Amino acid sequence: MLQLKDTSVENTAALITRAIRTAEYYGFGSLENALARGKKSLPALQKKDEMLFARKDEKILLQSARITLTVNKGDREVPLLWRVVKHAAGARSQFPCITLELHVIGAPTAIAEALLIIVANAIAEEIGIEKSVLSINSIGSMESSNRFVRDVGHFLRKHTDSISPALRPRAASDPLGTMIHLFEKGHPAMLRAPQSVEYLTEEERRRFWDLLEYLEISGISYELSPSILGSRDLWSHTLFELTSFDEESGVKTTFATGGRYDPLATRLMGSPASAVTATIVTEIRGKSKVQAVKRVNPALYFAHLGAEARRKILPVLEMLRRAGIPVEQSLMHERLQEQMERAKSTHVPYLLIMGHKEAMEGTVIVREVATNSQEAISLPDLTSYLKRQKVLA
């Protein structure tokens, strides 16, 4: 849980407000507002749908997903949603806390995880965390994680004598939850434990590499960590956590966790579904009531065409955010036609367009909608060009 002394903000309300403002820059909107526009009912869970929770926070994810997945989305919409929740002592930590949840619903590819990590990283910077560490892992699909958990069970049986008697019954029924507990306690045998990435198929490895490439292009450093795990009944593929690091004391504090919860979404929806989340947890200190964040109507819409442009757009968006230049985008969409239709509906006077050629050359096209005139601008010159042209909001 994040403590305010590790940030540059004076109270919880200010921290969450800054975090929401950053998330909304990247296109996230209020879950409450989305539900007000319409919601659907979810199928009732059957007894066969009972789930095994490997971490104590996973029951909270179940509660959140039951709400988030009821958002009615259009045929071409991928909801990006934020939600603020207060928790009593004992729910997520031994003290009362407040969380900002971010959800991407309906995006099956690695761009969703990449976006959430980039937003969480930007929030850390915005609230004054001087040094953060991203730890990331992949547990693959249900088939891959089944093989992994089977071998975890074999491994734990070999080390039964070193496991506390109180934990041994859980090792038989919940090998993964036991393994997570032993990692948290620093059990020495975990250095030789099976690692989930070793069980990924070639396709799953390529998917994981795709995410890592997004992070590398965005300049986000990471460490691969076999201890970042979760229940296979809820999670698949990517799991991650962000920690703040105090260089003087060497203390790490986890303030954000997340991952892809397709198996849970599929159970709740009653059909194949995709969903990813990131949750930022902070203490409650001082003011905690979050005020409405005034949304700025951007003058720019950023459209991309092709995989390379989609990768390169992420660091450009962060560059524009740091420069205080608001922009609309549809990162979750691949087809240019869908993006152009969205751009038309926003009535922006200017378009930023990046295709494969521009991505390789390090440029972006700036087009004035009214005259259809356009100019190719190098990325290092983009923010200064937009400010000279007064293309701000």
Side-chain angles (χ1 to χ4, degrees):
M1 181 175 68
L2 187 63
Q3 295 184 333
L4 292 186
K5 66 180 181 61
D6 298 325
T7 73
S8 61
V9 295
E10 64 279 8
N11 57 58
T12 302
L15 186 151
I16 296 296
T17 299
R18 288 192 192 183
I20 291 173
R21 186 180 297 117
T22 303
E24 291 201 337
Y25 181 90
Y26 279 91
F28 286 81
S30 164
L31 172 63
E32 183 179 346
N33 292 343
L35 291 174
R37 293 193 295 270
K39 59 183 180 179
K40 60 193 171 203
S41 59
L42 299 180
L45 289 177
Q46 305 299 316
K47 188 174 182 180
K48 64 181 178 62
D49 293 316
E50 289 180 358
M51 285 166 274
L52 189 64
F53 299 107
R55 302 184 334 219
K56 65 180 182 181
D57 64 329
E58 290 177 339
K59 289 185 178 180
I60 296 176
L61 173 62
L62 173 58
Q63 297 163 4
S64 299
R66 284 182 183 276
I67 300 172
T68 306
L69 293 170
T70 62
V71 170
N72 258 328
K73 64 187 184 72
D75 293 338
R76 297 180 180 178
E77 184 183 357
V78 178
L80 309 181
L81 305 166
W82 63 258
R83 175 177 183 244
V84 175
V85 187
K86 287 185 178 180
H87 300 278
R92 293 198 71 108
S93 72
Q94 58 181 318
F95 303 107
C97 63
I98 191 167
T99 63
L100 172 64
E101 298 177 2
L102 304 175
H103 296 264
V104 180
I105 309 300
T109 59
I111 183 66
E113 292 100 312
L115 176 63
L116 283 172
I117 290 171
I118 287 167
V119 172
N121 192 71
I123 288 172
E125 177 185 302
E126 188 66 24
I127 62 178
I129 294 178
E130 294 184 358
K131 183 176 178 60
S132 61
V133 178
L134 169 65
S135 301
I136 192 166
N137 193 23
S138 175
I139 61 173
S141 64
M142 179 66 75
E143 291 74 18
S144 298
S145 59
N146 279 341
R147 295 192 297 271
F148 167 60
V149 172
R150 178 198 62 203
D151 285 359
V152 169
H154 295 329
F155 176 82
L156 293 177
R157 283 194 290 275
K158 291 179 181 178
H159 294 83
T160 299
D161 292 343
S162 66
I163 300 174
S164 67
L167 193 59
R168 288 173 193 170
R170 186 180 183 185
S173 61
D174 181 16
L176 193 54
T178 304
M179 188 180 191
I180 292 171
H181 179 84
L182 294 175
F183 267 123
E184 291 173 349
K185 297 300 181 183
H187 194 289
M190 291 300 100
L191 296 173
R192 303 183 300 277
Q195 298 187 17
S196 60
V197 292
E198 297 173 350
Y199 295 81
L200 302 181
T201 65
E202 282 303 310
E203 181 180 350
E204 290 162 359
R205 289 179 188 275
R206 285 194 296 271
R207 192 186 192 290
F208 193 38
W209 292 337
D210 191 23
L211 170 60
L212 299 183
E213 187 173 7
Y214 275 120
L215 300 179
E216 289 169 1
I217 288 176
S218 297
I220 296 179
S221 58
Y222 58 86
E223 60 181 28
L224 300 178
S225 177
S227 65
I228 309 299
L229 297 165
S231 169
R232 57 197 167 135
D233 287 346
L234 283 78
W235 307 99
S236 64
H237 299 292
T238 310
L239 288 161
F240 60 87
E241 69 176 32
L242 277 162
T243 56
S244 61
F245 180 69
D246 189 322
E247 293 185 334
E248 291 185 3
S249 64
V251 173
K252 285 185 176 182
T253 303
T254 300
F255 67 87
T257 59
R260 176 168 289 278
Y261 61 99
D262 289 3
L264 174 60
T266 296
R267 285 177 182 239
L268 293 176
M269 297 290 288
S271 60
S274 300
V276 191
T277 188
T279 301
I280 296 171
V281 187
T282 184
E283 68 175 338
I284 297 176
R285 187 175 294 275
K287 295 180 181 179
S288 62
K289 185 176 181 180
V290 179
Q291 302 297 320
V293 176
K294 185 178 180 181
R295 184 165 174 78
V296 176
N297 292 321
L300 291 162
Y301 185 95
F302 204 155
H304 63 278
L305 178 62
E308 191 63 28
R310 201 183 202 188
R311 283 190 283 267
K312 292 288 179 65
I313 192 177
L314 288 167
V316 179
L317 284 173
E318 182 59 10
M319 178 180 71
L320 295 174
R321 186 193 70 83
R322 291 176 178 177
I325 300 175
V327 58
E328 289 273 5
Q329 44 75 23
S330 297
L331 274 172
M332 298 301 116
H333 293 291
E334 295 185 18
R335 295 174 56 205
L336 186 61
Q337 180 181 351
E338 293 174 339
Q339 297 174 67
M340 288 305 189
E341 289 175 0
R342 171 94 187 277
K344 186 177 181 179
S345 70
T346 61
H347 305 291
V348 292
Y350 293 91
L351 296 174
L352 298 178
I353 303 173
M354 180 183 285
H356 181 79
K357 176 175 178 290
E358 290 76 27
M360 299 305 295
E361 293 177 350
T363 62
V364 64
I365 294 172
V366 182
R367 177 186 296 174
E368 186 175 1
V369 175
T371 63
N372 225 27
S373 62
Q374 62 184 41
E375 188 174 354
I377 307 297
S378 67
L379 294 180
D381 297 331
L382 180 60
T383 56
S384 58
Y385 173 86
L386 294 174
K387 289 180 177 180
R388 286 198 307 271
Q389 299 297 318
K390 295 183 171 52
V391 183
L392 300 176

